[in-house]
Each structure stands twice: as structure tokens, then as C-alpha cells.
Amino acid sequence: LAGVARAHLIKTCKSFGIEVREEPYTLEEMMAADEIIVTASGTLCRPAEMIDGVGVGGKAPKLLKMLQDYLMNDYIEKTN
């Protein structure tokens, strides 16, 4: 869904050279993904850890942490 947090995450990914594809995914593709990121104004960038009770993601923790840190620092800088 369109949203401010989603748009900011996509812009951030592109600025770091991280490929962003906005297209439908199959359940099989989601289960095999390195990371699945959920965005919302309250959480900015949160990993999905389970789908249907099965663990997913967790294969790119450094990349995820880099995005989370950048987004949080950017948020703090712009709201202070």
C-alpha cells in the first residue's frame, strides 16, 4: 500500500543501491526471501519473522540493521 514510510524506505534503498521491485510475489518467493520488511509510520522498517507459523527472512541482518538505523536517525534528525 502507498504510504509515507513505504515511500521513504524505497527512496532510502535506492540511495544505497539496493534493488527495489514492486510486483506481486508468490508465497514460495516470500518464504525464500532474504528479508521481508513491513513498513508503517510507527515502526518505519520492521522485519517479518514468520509466515503461517514458519520462520522467514533473517538472511541479511546487517543490511536490515543499516536500513533501520538510517531511517531512525533520519526520523530523529527531521523531527527534532
Side-chain angles (χ1 to χ4, degrees), residues 2-78:
V4 174
R6 178 185 149 279
H8 193 57
L9 175 61
I10 290 170
K11 181 180 175 182
T12 300
C13 286
K14 288 180 179 181
S15 74
F16 282 115
I18 300 167
E19 180 185 4
V20 175
R21 291 182 290 145
E22 295 182 83
E23 60 190 39
Y25 293 94
T26 66
L27 180 58
E28 183 177 280
E29 290 170 323
M30 293 285 285
M31 299 302 278
D34 289 347
E35 296 292 346
I36 300 170
I37 298 172
V38 179
T39 64
S41 294
T43 59
L44 303 178
C45 176
R46 180 181 170 103
E49 297 174 352
M50 300 191 90
I51 296 177
D52 291 339
V54 177
V56 294
K59 298 174 191 159
K62 290 180 183 179
L63 180 61
L64 177 63
K65 178 82 169 112
M66 179 190 72
L67 288 171
Q68 289 173 321
D69 289 347
Y70 177 86
L71 291 167
M72 183 54 70
N73 289 333
D74 186 57
Y75 173 80
I76 291 169
E77 179 182 308
K78 289 180 178 171

